[in-house]
Amino acid sequence: MALVDQYGKPLKAPVTQKESMGASVVGSRPAITDSIVTLGLNPADVGALMRSAAVGNSWDWQIFCEIIEERDLHYLGVLNTRKRSVAQLPMNVVDAGPSRMQRRHGDFVRDWLDKGIAQRAAFDILDAIAKGFSIHEIFWHNEAGNYWPERLVYRPQRWFEISYQDGETIWLRDDTRTSRPAIEGAVDEAAMRPLDPARTLVHRHPSWSGLTIRSGLTRAVAFNSLFKLFSNRDWGLFVQAYGVPLRIGKFDASSTADDRATLWRALTDVAGAGACMIPDRMQMTFVEPKNGAGSNDTHERRIKWLDEQTSKAVLGQTGTTDARHGTHAAAATHRLVQEDIERSDAALLAETLNSQLVKQMIDYSFGPPKDGHYPRINIGRPDEAPVEVIIDAVQKAGPQGFKVAAKDLYARLNLEPPEEGDDVVGIAVPPQPALPAKVTSPKQMAGEETPPHFPTPTSRDEQPAPEEQPEKLSLHAAVGRLVDRSVSRSPQIIEALTDHLAYEAATGLGAMTEAVREQMEQATSWEDMKRRLEDLKLPDEQFAKAMEQALLVSELAGEAQMLEEMKHA
């Protein structure tokens, strides 16, 4: 099966490494440009450049785009922020399928990514955000069964032109060639050469819906940056006029011409301009600008407002560029907006790499896959929950049986598990079974009802009066005497004893439940689980002992209650 490009034309493997889109000393692709056309621009000139670019003559416009990035520092900053935030995102490869050949394809692309070629070129590829498109010349590593791009060289947009006939076809400027776009009724365009798909990486990055010939963020911020440069110039004139103290020299009627010349030299020698000389009886009034037009912060406020509009156009928000007090929640929302744009930019970049690099790498090295499926490069951060959310979930859901692999937590925290002999921080806390709270029933008082409450031991309960113990009693006798003495005096002791026995029983029952749960999780079938449960020896000693003590206490409590009733009969 013959290889074809995106236009359906036969595609040949690259065999030459000679530059085909580099600079030309004589011709339409000079390395050094004449930037005189961008000096002293006014809104009418910028409008003319934009109209000229929209009809297929973008040479001067592309130069203007470069100059704007150099002169408008805020636009340069936010644009580079957007480009670098995507260029540094992790790149990974997803195999086309589970077959051996598909895994081999994925490993081949993965090995190429590990060389860092795509990561280094990502920043320049994303120059299409500002100018609508970007071009890279591909230099292939030519080896049978091992074709991969070893260099991606950035080419300035001013060396290319977009066809005015369809608004999408990109030509290389070449004084010796003519080209015609693939549309009905098209005519030849002079000094243009088609791009070689095997040697060219074309990234289109639309900022709004429309043709490539009218795309690029610089078209949106051009007038904004131009007005900012005007305001910056006016601000400089304002500072020169009002920021430097003025010096006024006065002379009386008896002064000679030499006296006045001496006075003038003294005024100008102090600090250059900003001085004047008037007769002694003449008055000069300086009107200081107030809060209206000409105020000392008018230019600053205008420049800040223009910068905010540029931030909105490039980053979608202003919270990540202009810090303000008391706007933490708003800044978090603005960061989410920036992340949305980041994911969109990453998806467009990944699509360009997959369709124009990965596809050719696989086709040239292994041949086109029969099913048409290729491995894909994904760009972006993994969708991971914040560390605080994970820790909170483990703390709350862990006692309920929720389990997390320790290696996953170590990896999420960028930590390594301790090895034998390492000094460690932290201890393992054994799980404690939750005991039901002992709540007394509400008591009905006169006119009010007290809510349920936990009984509070009294000082008499906490410090019972000592009684003589003539001899060492058996457990049965000691418990019986304690019950007999406490039933009528301090029933809280009985409650405490009951709670203790409940705790012992719950601990023993928990140990048996955990043993059964562990066997059920390890079982592979119903028969395996049945065999495991039959062979299981439950640790029932603690539970049996607690039940024995509970029966003993209940029996003695009943006897003590009967004796108490007989005494009062």
Side-chain angles (χ1 to χ4, degrees):
M1 186 173 93
L3 303 180
V4 295
D5 59 16
Q6 61 265 41
Y7 306 109
K9 299 178 181 179
L11 185 62
K12 299 181 180 180
V15 295
T16 177
Q17 293 298 296
K18 183 180 179 180
E19 287 191 1
S20 61
M21 295 187 297
S24 59
V25 177
V26 178
S28 56
R29 299 197 303 272
I32 301 177
T33 61
D34 183 7
S35 59
I36 296 180
V37 294
T38 64
L39 298 178
L41 287 176
N42 54 51
D45 295 332
V46 174
L49 292 178
M50 298 176 71
R51 288 191 297 271
S52 177
V55 295
N57 184 17
S58 64
W59 173 269
D60 290 338
W61 168 252
Q62 296 296 347
I63 298 176
F64 173 78
C65 293
E66 297 175 0
I67 297 299
I68 283 294
E69 293 184 27
E70 296 174 1
R71 294 188 179 181
D72 189 346
L73 300 184
H74 184 79
Y75 180 48
L76 175 66
V78 294
L79 182 61
N80 283 350
T81 297
R82 180 168 171 180
K83 291 161 64 176
R84 295 187 191 279
S85 65
V86 178
Q88 66 181 349
L89 290 176
M91 299 183 181
N92 58 80
V93 179
V94 179
D95 296 339
S99 69
R100 180 179 178 182
M101 181 56 68
Q102 289 172 327
R103 292 196 304 269
R104 184 181 176 188
H105 292 173
D107 292 338
F108 181 69
V109 178
R110 204 171 286 112
D111 292 339
W112 176 72
L113 272 186
D114 292 340
K115 295 178 173 62
I117 299 172
Q119 291 83 343
R120 289 192 295 271
F123 179 81
D124 290 331
I125 295 175
L126 291 169
D127 192 46
I129 296 175
K131 302 178 179 68
F133 69 95
S134 65
I135 306 292
H136 278 68
E137 186 172 1
I138 308 174
F139 292 86
W140 292 88
H141 173 81
N142 291 334
E143 182 182 354
N146 188 24
Y147 286 93
W148 47 269
E150 61 182 8
R151 281 197 302 155
L152 298 174
V153 181
Y154 172 78
R155 301 304 186 191
Q157 285 86 344
R158 50 188 165 83
W159 293 353
F160 301 86
E161 189 58 82
I162 302 176
S163 173
Y164 67 91
Q165 300 184 72
D166 63 1
E168 290 291 343
T169 304
I170 301 177
W171 308 120
L172 174 67
R173 294 183 181 273
D174 190 339
D175 296 332
T176 64
R177 299 284 297 274
T178 59
S179 300
R180 179 184 300 180
I183 59 175
E184 185 178 357
V187 297
D188 291 339
E189 297 183 27
M192 300 297 169
R193 188 179 81 191
L195 302 179
D196 183 2
R199 296 293 308 279
T200 309
L201 177 69
V202 181
H203 179 58
R204 303 171 192 262
H205 206 105
S207 297
W208 54 80
S209 300
L211 298 175
T212 304
I213 199 171
R214 296 181 59 87
S215 61
L217 273 178
T218 306
R219 293 186 68 92
V221 303
F223 285 105
N224 197 73
S225 296
L226 189 65
F227 296 153
K228 176 187 172 181
L229 294 177
F230 292 161
S231 297
N232 193 28
R233 182 197 60 188
D234 296 341
W235 195 2
L237 295 175
F238 178 87
V239 172
Q240 183 180 5
Y242 296 99
V244 180
L246 295 177
R247 298 170 306 285
I248 301 177
K250 295 184 179 182
F251 57 89
D252 56 19
S254 62
S255 61
T256 63
D258 292 338
D259 294 337
R260 296 174 187 177
T262 302
L263 176 60
W264 178 249
R265 287 196 301 271
L267 291 172
T268 56
D269 288 346
V270 172
C276 66
M277 185 173 63
I278 62 177
D280 185 32
R281 294 184 179 183
M282 182 179 294
Q283 293 184 355
M284 179 178 293
T285 303
F286 295 93
V287 180
E288 182 180 355
K290 299 299 181 181
N291 295 330
S295 177
N296 55 357
D297 65 341
T298 300
H299 304 90
E300 181 182 6
R301 288 188 284 112
R302 175 171 172 79
I303 289 177
K304 284 185 177 180
W305 184 85
L306 292 172
D307 283 344
E308 289 179 354
Q309 308 317 302
T310 299
S311 297
K312 293 175 184 177
V314 180
L315 300 178
Q317 40 78 35
T318 62
T320 58
T321 57
D322 302 310
R324 299 177 181 176
H325 296 289
T327 58
H328 175 74
T333 304
H334 290 179
R335 175 57 187 163
L336 294 177
V337 174
Q338 185 178 4
E339 290 177 354
D340 291 341
I341 297 177
E342 178 185 280
R343 284 192 291 268
S344 176
D345 292 344
L348 291 175
L349 176 59
E351 178 59 28
T352 297
L353 297 179
N354 288 321
S355 61
Q356 301 182 39
L357 290 184
V358 173
K359 185 177 184 300
Q360 295 190 76
M361 290 169 59
I362 301 302
D363 290 346
Y364 295 155
S365 301
F366 305 95
K370 295 181 179 179
D371 57 1
H373 295 162
Y374 294 83
R376 295 189 59 83
I377 296 177
N378 286 340
I379 304 175
R381 298 184 180 93
D383 293 332
E384 296 177 337
V387 176
E388 297 81 2
V389 175
I390 296 177
I391 298 299
D392 185 64
V394 172
Q395 289 178 339
K396 294 181 179 179
Q400 310 303 324
F402 179 75
K403 295 184 178 181
V404 179
K407 63 178 182 180
D408 293 339
L409 288 179
Y410 278 116
R412 190 69 179 84
L413 298 172
N414 294 327
L415 299 175
E416 294 290 338
E419 298 180 356
E420 188 69 25
D422 290 345
D423 294 333
V424 297
V425 178
I427 59 174
V429 180
Q432 299 293 334
L435 296 178
K438 182 65 177 181
V439 181
T440 60
S441 59
K443 297 180 180 179
Q444 184 70 33
M445 300 295 182
E448 62 179 3
E449 181 179 354
T450 59
H453 62 283
F454 294 91
T456 303
T458 62
S459 59
R460 184 179 62 179
D461 298 329
E462 297 175 353
Q463 299 177 357
E467 295 187 7
E468 297 183 358
Q469 301 292 338
E471 71 278 342
K472 185 176 181 180
L473 302 177
S474 64
L475 176 62
H476 188 282
V479 174
R481 182 170 296 183
L482 175 63
V483 171
D484 181 59
R485 183 174 64 250
S486 302
V487 165
S488 60
R489 296 182 183 178
S490 182
Q492 286 83 3
I493 296 180
I494 302 300
E495 293 177 354
L497 184 60
T498 303
D499 290 343
H500 175 72
L501 292 175
Y503 172 79
E504 293 293 331
T507 304
L509 183 61
M512 293 189 294
T513 303
E514 185 63 25
V516 174
R517 180 185 300 169
E518 182 178 358
Q519 296 299 324
M520 293 180 64
E521 291 177 349
Q522 296 178 359
T524 59
S525 62
W526 287 107
E527 291 76 14
D528 184 31
M529 184 175 67
K530 179 179 179 181
R531 180 184 56 80
R532 288 176 177 271
L533 294 179
E534 290 176 351
D535 297 340
L536 179 62
K537 295 182 179 180
L538 294 176
D540 57 351
E541 295 81 8
Q542 185 177 5
F543 181 78
K545 183 177 180 180
M547 294 301 298
E548 179 182 358
Q549 294 178 357
L551 292 175
L552 173 61
V553 171
S554 61
E555 179 182 357
L556 293 177
E559 294 178 358
Q561 185 66 28
M562 291 180 62
L563 291 175
E564 187 69 19
E565 293 176 357
M566 291 174 65
K567 288 180 181 180
H568 298 282

